[in-house]
Amino acid sequence: MTAEPPVHIRREGRPARAPAPAAAAGAEARPPAGLEELAGLLARERAAIEGSHRAGASGATVVRALSDLMDRLIVDVARRAGAPAEPAGWALVALGGYGRRELCPHSDVDLMVLHEPTAREPVEALAPPLFKTLWDLRLHLGHSVRTIADCVDVARRDVATATSLLEARPLFGATALVGGLERRLGSEVVRGAEGFVGRLVDEMRRGHAKHGSSLYMLEPNVKKSGGGLRSIHFLRWMALARYGTADLGVLHARGLLTAAEGRALREAQEFYWRVRNDLHFAAGHAADTLAFDDQVRLARLFGYRDDGKRLGVERFMQQYYIHATEVHEIVERFIARTSRRPLALRLLDRALARKVDGIFLVGSTHVGVTPGGRERVLSDPLALLSLFGVAQAQGRAIEPGLLDAVRQALLVQDETAYRDPAVAARFLEILSRPGRLADTLSLMHRLGALAKIVPEFAAVNRLVQFNRFHKYTVDEHTFAVIRQAEALAAGRRGSARPATGVPAGTEADLAMAGVEATGGGVSAPPGEASHLRRAYAQIRRKDLLHLALLLHDVGKGRGGDHAGAGATIAAAVARRLGLGEHDARLLVFLVREHLMMEQVALRRDLSDDKVLLRFARTVANPETLRMLYVLTYADIAGVGPGNWTQWKEELLTVLYVRAMDELAGGHEVAAPAERLAAIRSEVLGKLRGRLPDAWLDGQWEVVNERYALATPPGTIVRHLEWISELREGDVLVKVENDAETGTARYTVLTQDGITPGLFSKIAGVLAAKGLQILSALVDTRKNGTVVDAFDVVDTFHAGPPPAERQQEVAGAIRDALLGRVTVEDLFARHRRFQPAVSRVTPLDPTKVEIDNESSDAFTVVDVFAQDRQGLLYVIARGLWDLGLSVHASKVATRLDQALDVFYVTDREGRQVTDPERLEEIRRTLVERIERHERAS
C-alpha cells in the first residue's frame, strides 16, 4: 500500500474575472439595481444552455457552462450591491457541487462569504442585498457568512458541511483566504484521516439506506442512490482526505486506481450528468429520481430504440445499472485497497492461517494463497475455481489484493480453458453446497469467472425488465432466487443477507465481494416444519436444482419466450458440463417449465381433478416435483420483499401436496380426503359447544373443497361464526386490520340471490370509496351463501384508517347490495374526493386470455392489466354486462400489475364455448379496461 503523505489539500479552479467596477472602491453598499435585466439575462443564457443540451452537448459541457454563468451572475450582483473592485478581508466562495463547477440546471447554489474577523462590518453591509437579489432571481440558494474559525468549528461537527468546504472555490475578493481555509481544514479536521474517512463511509452508508439499499431500484435517484453521482463524490472526498488530491489521473499514477477504474468513473459521471441535466430541464426544478416516464423519454434522447426483442428503455436502464454497479464496486474496492487493518490483527491472522489443498491459506477472516501458489491460481482455471470453493466452504472472504489480481487475470483468460471436465466437476461441486452459494456465484459473476463457464449468463448482466413486477435486474434477481432456496437449508433462518455475496456483520465481507450490501436480502422463509423445507432437504441433486435456478431466466437475454430460449441454453450448458442424459433432461424441463407451477397454483381451481392430473402427469415424478416446488417458491420470493405471501404459500403447497399424493401413491403426504377430514375436525372442534352441532355439520356439508383446502382453519372458524350471525335477506360486512402490512380485509357475507352482479357491486363500492383492491377471494357455497373477501389499502389514509371510516365503507357495501344506493351514485358522489392518480406509462399491454381446457364446468378468464383505481369493478361489471356469472375468482396485484382470474358461466350455469362469443368477451374486456386506463 502507498504510504500516506502529509495532508495538504489542493484543487483546481481560478477566481472569476471581475467585470469593470460599477462604483468606486469602498463605496457604501446599496441594493442592486436592474433585477429584471439580470433575470432576463439569466433566462436567455439558461435557455441557450438547454438548447445545447438538446442538441447533444456533453454533460460536462453543460454543468461547466451553468457554473460559469452562475459565477458571472454572482460577481455581477456583488458589484451592483457595492462590492469594491479589490475587497480586503473577505471573499465570495462557491461550495459543494458549485465549487466543483458541476452545477446542474436547478441544483442548489451554495455560496459563502468568507471573511476575516476584522472585516465583519463591510460583510454585514454587503451580504443582505446580495443574498436577497439572488433569492429574488429564484435561485436555489444555500448561503452562509463565516470566518475560517467558524468553518473549522462546523466542519468538525458535521461531515456534510466538511465535504462541502473541502471543495471551496474562490469567486471574488481576497482569494488567499481560501488557501488559509484549506490549510486549517487539512490540519484540524482531516488530520487523522482514518477517523474522517470512517465518518465519510458511515455517511455514505446512511445515504444509500435512505435512498434505497439496492443498486437496482426501479426508479433510482441518479444523485443519491448507490453507485450514483454521490458515490463518485465520496470517493473524491476520501481521496482528498487521505492523499490531498481528487484527481483521478493522480490517483492512478499512485496505484490507487487502475486505468480502467478511472475511465469507468469518468464515463459514469458523464452519463449521470446528461441524465440529471435532462431531468432538471424537463421538470423545471431539481428532480433527481429517474421515474418510469423519464426513462422512456431519456432512452429516446440517448438514441436507444426498440428492436423487436428488447425495448430501447430496457437497454438504456441496463446501461444505467452497469454504470451504477461499476461505480459502487470501484468505491468499495478503493475503500478496501486504501484501508489497512491494524498490524496486530494482520500478524495474528498470518500466524494462525492454515494451509488447505497445499496452496490456500485460511486465516480468521480471509482466504489467501501461498507465494508459490499465486501464479497457479491466476493462470489455472481449476485452481481459480478451487479458490472460490475454499472461500465458500470456509466462510471466509478472499484477500482484497488477490481479488484485484483475479479480476485482472480473468480479463485475458480464454473461455476454452474452462472447458476441462475437471473444471466442470469443480463448478458442480460449488453448486451442490447451500450456504454462501448465491454470494459465491454473485462474486464470480462480478469478477467475470461465471461468464467463462456459462457465457450465456453475460447476456443478462444488469438486464432490465421494464415492469413494476421485478424489483431487480435479471442477474440480481437470479442470485436473490438462489439465496431464497438455500435459506431453506436446516439451521438457516432467512435473515436479510446482502446481495453482494457476503454474510452481514464481518469485516471480511467487503473484501470477498468487492462491494458493500446492495439489497436483495432474503424474505423470511417458511417455518421449520414446512413442506418447502422438507422438500428442499429431500432433494438429492441440489447441484441440478441450483443450476436450474441459475439458468431459469437466462433466456431473457435473447428476447421473446424466455422459458423456451432458456431451455435451449440449458441443453447447451448441460453438454458443456458433461451432464448425463437424464440429468440434462431434468435441467431442461425445470428451466422450460419454471413458471408452470405458479400459474396453476395461483390461477386455477386446485379442487378440480382435471387440473391436478394434467399437472401431475407433466411433472411425472416426485423428485422433479420437489425441485419445481422449491424453484417456484424461490422465484416468487426472489422478485422482491413482500412478494411471497401466506396466501401464495397455501395455494402452492396445496398443489404440491395433491400432486405428490398422485405421484407417490399417497405415501408421502395426506390425501385430500384425509386433509379435509383433518381440517373439518380442527375447525368444528373449535366451535363445538359454541354453535349447535347439527348446524355445524350442515354447514360443513355445503363448504366447497377448494375453499376448505386453501383457507386457514382459523379463518374458516371466523367465517362460520359470522355466518351464524347472518339473517335471511341481509348483508354482513366484517373488517379486519393487518397492522404489519397496513392493509384491511373486508369480508362480505350474504346470499347469492340478494342482488344481481353482487361481486361487481362490492368491487365498485370499494373503488368508489377510494380503496385499492390488492386481492380478492370469492366463494359461493352449495346452499348459496356468499363469502367474498377483499384485501385493500385505504388511499385516503397514510396509516390505519379510523374505525368510523371502515364503518362508513361497510355501510356503503350493505346499502349497495340491499338496493339503497347504486354504485354509479357512489362514484359520482365521491369522484371529486378521489386521491390524485399518478399518470405513468403503461408497462405491459392489457391482455385477456380465455381457457376452456382447465375446467370442465367453467370458462376461465385471465386478465393482465396495469392496476388502476376501480379496475376490478370495470372487469366485474363487464363480465356481468356480458351475461356471465362469476363463481370463483383469484385476484392479485403485483406492485401495480394486476392478474385477475375469474371462473365464469353464462346465466344458465353453462361453460361458454362459442368462438365468436369468446372473442366478444375478450374484445369487450380489453376495450373497457383501456378506456378506464385512459380516463383515470
Side-chain angles (χ1 to χ4, degrees):
M1 175 179 166
T2 307
E4 295 185 15
V7 175
H8 178 69
I9 300 173
R10 303 172 185 168
R11 62 189 41 77
E12 301 174 0
R14 300 175 180 173
R17 185 182 299 275
E28 183 180 343
R30 60 185 183 276
L35 184 65
E36 290 185 7
E37 174 193 347
L38 289 172
L41 173 65
L42 180 61
R44 288 192 301 275
E45 296 224 18
R46 273 183 167 171
I49 295 172
E50 181 175 1
S52 68
H53 164 75
R54 300 290 174 209
S58 70
T61 298
V62 171
V63 298
R64 297 287 186 270
L66 288 165
S67 300
D68 291 345
L69 168 62
M70 199 55 57
D71 288 355
R72 296 194 302 273
L73 178 74
I74 289 173
V75 172
D76 188 11
V77 171
R79 298 305 303 272
R80 290 173 187 243
E86 296 182 4
W90 64 269
L92 294 179
V93 182
L95 304 178
Y98 178 33
R100 293 190 303 270
R101 295 182 70 224
E102 296 175 1
L103 200 61
C104 288
H106 294 281
S107 295
D108 289 347
V109 177
D110 291 325
L111 184 65
M112 177 174 68
V113 181
L114 183 65
H115 67 94
E116 294 176 347
T118 56
R120 182 177 300 277
E121 185 175 338
V123 166
E124 288 180 347
L126 174 76
L130 169 66
F131 294 149
K132 182 178 185 305
T133 301
L134 296 176
W135 285 329
D136 289 344
L137 290 170
R138 300 185 180 277
L139 299 181
H140 300 277
L141 185 66
H143 65 282
S144 58
V145 178
R146 293 181 179 130
T147 64
I148 291 178
D150 295 333
C151 291
V152 171
D153 180 60
V154 73
R156 284 172 174 161
R157 291 182 282 108
D158 181 58
V159 70
T161 303
T163 58
S164 179
L165 290 167
L166 281 174
E167 297 177 309
R169 177 172 61 90
L171 299 177
F172 176 67
T175 58
L177 281 172
V178 176
L181 173 62
E182 291 174 352
R183 289 187 291 273
R184 290 281 301 274
L185 289 173
S187 62
E188 299 181 39
V189 177
V190 177
R191 185 179 59 192
E194 287 302 324
F196 184 73
V197 170
R199 292 168 63 196
L200 286 175
V201 172
D202 290 343
E203 184 72 14
M204 182 175 70
R205 303 277 190 259
R206 283 192 293 270
H208 291 171
K210 181 178 179 180
H211 294 278
S213 58
S214 172
L215 293 180
Y216 312 106
M217 302 297 292
L218 292 173
E219 296 180 303
N221 185 299
V222 177
K223 180 180 178 182
K224 296 182 179 179
S225 289
L229 269 172
R230 182 61 85 214
S231 295
I232 300 175
H233 301 158
F234 272 109
L235 185 146
R236 292 170 56 95
W237 295 331
M238 286 184 278
L240 274 171
R242 287 189 187 280
Y243 309 111
T245 181
D247 186 287
L248 300 182
V250 174
L251 294 175
H252 168 53
R254 297 181 61 178
L256 300 168
L257 285 176
T258 68
E261 288 172 336
R263 184 167 56 252
L265 289 173
R266 292 186 188 94
E267 290 174 355
Q269 183 169 251
E270 169 59 27
F271 179 89
Y272 291 149
W273 277 337
R274 282 199 72 199
V275 168
R276 191 170 182 229
N277 288 337
D278 195 82
L279 291 174
H280 283 212
F281 280 131
H285 56 77
D288 297 332
T289 298
L290 195 48
F292 286 110
D293 282 350
D294 295 315
Q295 293 171 22
V296 174
R297 187 189 72 255
L298 280 160
R300 290 193 293 265
L301 177 69
F302 278 64
Y304 292 93
R305 299 289 181 263
D306 301 350
D307 63 5
K309 290 185 177 180
R310 290 182 56 202
L311 299 175
V313 66
E314 291 177 336
R315 294 203 302 278
F316 167 73
M317 289 305 296
Q318 182 179 27
Q319 188 61 55
Y320 169 85
Y321 291 123
I322 287 173
H323 284 310
T325 302
E326 287 181 334
V327 168
H328 189 80
E329 294 183 359
I330 290 168
V331 171
E332 293 298 341
R333 289 200 297 272
F334 185 80
I335 293 172
R337 196 179 289 151
T338 58
S339 301
R340 293 183 67 85
R341 296 164 62 224
L343 178 61
L345 287 179
R346 285 184 278 133
L347 291 175
L348 180 64
D349 202 35
R350 185 176 293 275
L352 297 178
R354 54 193 172 83
K355 192 175 290 188
V356 174
D357 293 343
I359 62 171
F360 301 110
L361 297 175
V362 180
S364 60
T365 58
H366 289 82
V367 172
V369 293
T370 63
R374 185 180 179 89
E375 182 58 35
R376 180 179 163 193
V377 166
L378 298 179
S379 61
D380 179 5
L382 181 59
L384 179 59
L385 253 65
S386 297
L387 171 64
F388 291 117
V390 170
Q392 176 197 22
Q394 299 296 326
R396 301 290 191 271
I398 298 173
E399 289 180 349
L402 182 56
L403 269 183
D404 279 348
V406 167
R407 182 180 289 105
Q408 296 302 313
L410 284 163
L411 291 174
V412 297
Q413 285 184 0
D414 193 337
E415 273 182 21
T416 58
Y418 287 80
R419 299 296 173 262
D420 187 288
V423 173
R426 188 59 48 87
F427 181 58
L428 291 173
E429 180 184 336
I430 291 173
L431 288 173
S432 69
R433 292 194 297 254
R436 295 178 65 95
L437 174 59
D439 304 336
T440 301
L441 292 173
S442 178
L443 177 60
M444 291 173 63
H445 174 51
R446 292 193 302 275
L447 295 177
L450 185 59
K452 303 292 185 184
I453 305 167
V454 186
E456 296 88 350
F457 199 78
V460 297
N461 179 41
R462 307 306 172 223
L463 179 62
V464 178
Q465 302 166 82
F466 194 58
N467 59 51
R468 293 179 178 84
F469 177 40
H470 283 88
K471 180 181 174 67
Y472 308 118
T473 55
V474 175
D475 50 349
E476 282 302 311
H477 164 69
T478 298
F479 301 130
V481 166
I482 295 171
R483 192 168 290 110
Q484 292 289 163
E486 60 177 331
L488 296 173
R492 299 196 58 195
R493 300 286 178 172
S495 58
R497 300 272 307 278
T500 58
V502 291
T506 68
E507 286 188 3
D509 294 352
L510 299 181
M512 175 180 175
V515 293
E516 66 158 326
T518 57
V522 176
S523 301
E528 296 292 340
S530 74
H531 286 290
L532 276 163
R533 285 190 181 275
R534 289 200 298 271
Y536 185 76
Q538 291 169 358
I539 292 171
R540 295 185 296 275
R541 292 293 305 276
K542 289 187 173 61
D543 57 338
L544 288 180
L545 169 66
H546 297 149
L547 183 56
L549 293 169
L550 180 67
L551 300 178
H552 81 285
D553 271 355
V554 74
K556 290 181 176 178
R558 296 188 176 179
D561 172 21
H562 80 277
T568 301
I569 293 170
V573 172
R575 289 192 297 272
R576 198 179 302 132
L577 296 178
L579 298 182
E581 183 179 350
H582 174 270
D583 292 344
R585 281 202 308 269
L586 175 56
L587 177 67
V588 170
F589 174 87
L590 290 172
V591 173
R592 185 181 63 241
E593 303 297 343
H594 72 273
L595 299 173
M596 176 179 61
M597 194 169 187
E598 177 189 5
Q599 291 171 347
V600 174
L602 271 57
R603 294 165 53 186
R604 294 297 175 260
D605 182 356
L606 301 184
S607 67
D608 190 324
D609 288 340
K610 184 176 181 181
V611 170
L612 174 67
L613 290 173
R614 178 186 297 171
F615 173 75
R617 288 169 183 166
T618 302
V619 175
N621 64 74
E623 177 77 350
T624 304
L625 177 59
R626 292 188 195 100
M627 289 187 173
L628 189 61
Y629 180 43
V630 172
L631 190 160
T632 304
Y633 152 71
D635 193 20
I636 296 172
V639 164
N643 197 54
W644 179 252
T645 64
Q646 182 182 359
W647 174 66
K648 292 176 183 177
E649 181 175 356
E650 289 165 356
L651 292 177
L652 197 64
T653 299
V654 166
L655 178 58
Y656 171 73
V657 165
R658 296 200 66 195
M660 185 62 77
D661 182 71
E662 179 69 27
L663 294 172
H667 297 298
E668 295 219 0
V669 294
E674 295 174 19
R675 293 189 65 243
L676 283 170
I679 294 168
R680 180 183 188 278
S681 176
E682 179 180 351
V683 169
L684 299 190
K686 292 179 179 179
L687 293 170
R688 298 288 185 194
R690 293 159 53 189
L691 293 170
D693 289 354
W695 184 87
L696 287 171
D697 292 336
Q699 286 296 316
W700 195 262
E701 292 300 319
V702 299
V703 166
N704 292 310
E705 181 179 333
R706 62 174 174 269
Y707 163 88
L709 290 173
T711 307
T715 303
I716 298 175
V717 168
R718 291 198 302 278
H719 288 172
L720 287 171
E721 289 175 330
W722 295 339
I723 290 172
S724 71
E725 303 172 18
L726 183 63
R727 294 173 300 181
E728 185 70 28
D730 200 2
V731 175
L732 196 63
V733 181
K734 297 288 186 177
V735 187
E736 300 169 286
N737 291 303
D738 187 331
E740 185 175 343
T741 63
T743 62
R745 171 169 288 189
Y746 284 79
T747 302
V748 181
L749 304 101
T750 187
Q751 283 83 35
D752 190 34
I754 193 78
T755 184
L758 185 148
F759 177 71
S760 70
K761 288 180 179 177
I762 300 173
V765 172
L766 294 173
K769 286 290 185 177
L771 301 179
Q772 180 188 5
I773 300 170
L774 301 178
S775 64
L777 296 174
V778 176
D779 182 66
T780 303
R781 306 189 172 198
K782 297 169 187 175
N783 65 349
T785 300
V786 170
V787 181
D788 291 353
F790 296 79
D791 290 327
V792 304
V793 172
D794 195 328
T795 58
F796 280 76
H797 296 271
E804 308 83 64
R805 162 70 169 167
Q806 295 183 335
Q807 292 167 3
E808 171 200 338
V809 174
I813 293 173
R814 291 190 76 249
D815 289 345
L817 299 188
L818 293 172
R820 299 169 183 165
V821 67
T822 68
V823 172
E824 289 72 22
D825 287 343
L826 288 174
F827 268 111
R829 190 181 307 168
H830 295 284
R831 184 166 288 120
R832 64 192 180 98
F833 300 111
Q834 292 291 336
V837 177
S838 175
R839 293 180 177 271
V840 293
T841 303
L843 302 182
D844 296 298
T846 299
K847 183 168 62 174
V848 175
E849 296 178 353
I850 300 178
D851 174 13
N852 272 323
E853 298 298 321
S854 296
S855 173
D856 291 329
F858 303 105
T859 294
V860 184
V861 180
D862 295 316
V863 179
F864 306 84
Q866 185 177 4
D867 189 42
R868 298 275 188 177
Q869 192 74 17
L871 174 65
L872 183 58
Y873 171 64
V874 169
I875 300 169
R877 177 59 187 267
L879 292 171
W880 177 255
D881 290 346
L882 285 162
L884 303 173
S885 296
V886 178
H887 293 264
S889 176
K890 291 183 177 181
V891 176
T893 302
R894 298 170 174 174
L895 300 176
D896 53 7
Q897 298 297 299
L899 167 58
D900 300 345
V901 181
F902 304 89
Y903 278 70
V904 303
T905 64
D906 62 20
R907 295 287 162 73
E908 286 72 43
R910 298 177 305 225
Q911 198 176 42
V912 183
T913 58
D914 179 65
E916 292 185 4
R917 181 91 168 95
L918 294 175
E919 176 57 26
E920 178 192 15
I921 294 169
R922 190 202 64 77
R923 184 182 64 253
T924 300
L925 290 179
V926 169
E927 289 174 354
R928 291 199 178 194
I929 293 168
E930 291 182 345
R931 188 186 313 139
H932 174 66
E933 204 169 71
R934 289 191 296 270
S936 61

